[in-house]
Amino acid sequence: MKRILITGGAGFLGSHLSKKLLDNGHEVLCADNLFTGRRQNIAPLLDHPNFEFIRHDITNPLYVEVDEIYNLASPASPIHYQFDPVQTTKTSVLGAINMLGLAKRLKIKILQASTSEVYGDPAVHPQPESYWGNVNPIGPRACYDEGKRCAETLFFDYYRQHNLKIKVMRIFNTYGPHMQANDGRVVSNFIMQALHNESITIYGDGSQTRSFCYVDDLIEGMYALMNTGDHVTGPINIGNPGEFTMLELAETIIELTNSKSKITFKPLPIDDPKLRRPDISKAREVLNWEPKVQLREGLEKTIDYFQSQLAKEVKLVPLKVG
């Protein structure tokens, strides 16, 4: 049994990782400031004897005794990371410094949840780990993109300078239960609009592409990377190489929800990537990992989750008397 710290443990990915680690017999210390994480994500875990939650912002040092660290803390959708861009950068940079310092003191292994956004609006497609990216350092997305890039720099400097055991994974678009309905991500946006029979909003002409990885697959890849030998540092892309246009995604969700929604188009946001698809050759070779859940199957599970959340909200509405 290991005692494992997950920063951002009440978030979308962190809550799924917490459950997996508990199921595998470990103790989990979940740290989250609940800016985008939610108590309801970890509510089923709170009574578990091996689970502990602390409310903490990793821009401040954390003094705990653990055996491994998964550093997942960061807002990940444009709506959230652009709400307070300075704090977003601090979370990536100061958070990395604080967690790396903790790992150095304890002489333990630490995993950084980086992002495909380090590739920016790519000029290379699909994106291999060797690609240095095409990022606007002063644009509205830079607080997230450059914050994550700087965090990777810090991880590899600690590796070279202090011989720290590091793992760096670059996460591509991930979806599934525990996503927030209002987080601005394309899958949750489209599903909620479809369930309410509202117009589905596509930014641009719908030809831009994304690759969508179901959360269970992503967590398996994350766990596999953490448990490789110390010589494997990454960065390693973890995502689904299936590539879909926004128009294809919207049409599939309308079909699966039997929605009456129509599709409307709006201008593309500044610096929004036109193409996104991971080259996962390295993950296949080094981790023996590749995603198993196809998009339609994953969307069906995610739609079921949001439908259940809507049903709970309806039950909470007070009945009118008289």
Side-chain angles (χ1 to χ4, degrees), residues 30-44:
C30 166
D32 202 302
N33 68 351
L34 300 181
F35 174 58
T36 57
R38 296 181 296 172
R39 289 185 185 274
Q40 71 185 67
N41 288 342
I42 56 171

Side-chain angles (χ1 to χ4, degrees), residues 266-310:
K266 292 187 177 181
L268 199 65
I270 297 172
D271 298 330
D272 195 62
K274 312 300 186 302
L275 301 168
R276 182 70 84 231
R277 179 187 170 196
D279 180 336
I280 63 167
S281 304
K282 199 170 180 181
R284 287 188 174 116
E285 177 185 352
V286 176
L287 307 180
N288 193 29
W289 174 89
E290 62 181 347
K292 298 176 182 177
V293 179
Q294 298 301 311
L295 182 64
R296 289 182 69 92
E297 178 189 352
L299 286 176
E300 287 172 350
K301 293 179 179 180
T302 309
I303 289 166
D304 287 346
Y305 168 76
F306 280 117
Q307 285 177 324
S308 69
Q309 296 301 301
L310 288 174

Side-chain angles (χ1 to χ4, degrees), residues 20 54 61 112 114-115 119 175 227-228 245 270 297 308 318-319:
K20 179 175 179 61
I54 56 171
Q112 166 68 3
S114 190
T115 173
Y119 299 123
Y175 68 100
N227 290 282
T228 53
T245 67
I270 297 172
E297 178 189 352
S308 69
L319 293 174

Side-chain angles (χ1 to χ4, degrees), residues 181-182 188-200 253 257-262 306-307 309-311 313-314:
N182 61 347
S188 51
N189 269 7
F190 285 6
I191 289 175
M192 292 305 294
Q193 289 170 336
L195 290 176
H196 288 105
N197 293 308
E198 299 170 351
S199 293
I200 289 184
I253 288 174
T257 56
N258 295 312
S259 177
K260 298 183 175 71
S261 295
K262 305 298 182 184
F306 280 117
Q307 285 177 324
Q309 296 301 301
L310 288 174
E313 290 176 11
V314 170

Side-chain angles (χ1 to χ4, degrees), residues 82-119:
Q82 291 174 0
F83 174 77
D84 188 344
V86 172
Q87 186 64 24
T88 295
T89 305
K90 285 182 177 180
T91 300
S92 288
V93 178
L94 295 180
I97 290 170
N98 287 329
M99 291 304 106
L100 286 164
L102 177 61
K104 178 189 170 189
R105 178 176 70 82
L106 298 174
K107 297 181 174 61
I108 61 172
K109 186 165 30 176
I110 179 170
L111 180 144
Q112 166 68 3
S114 190
T115 173
S116 61
E117 298 303 322
V118 301
Y119 299 123

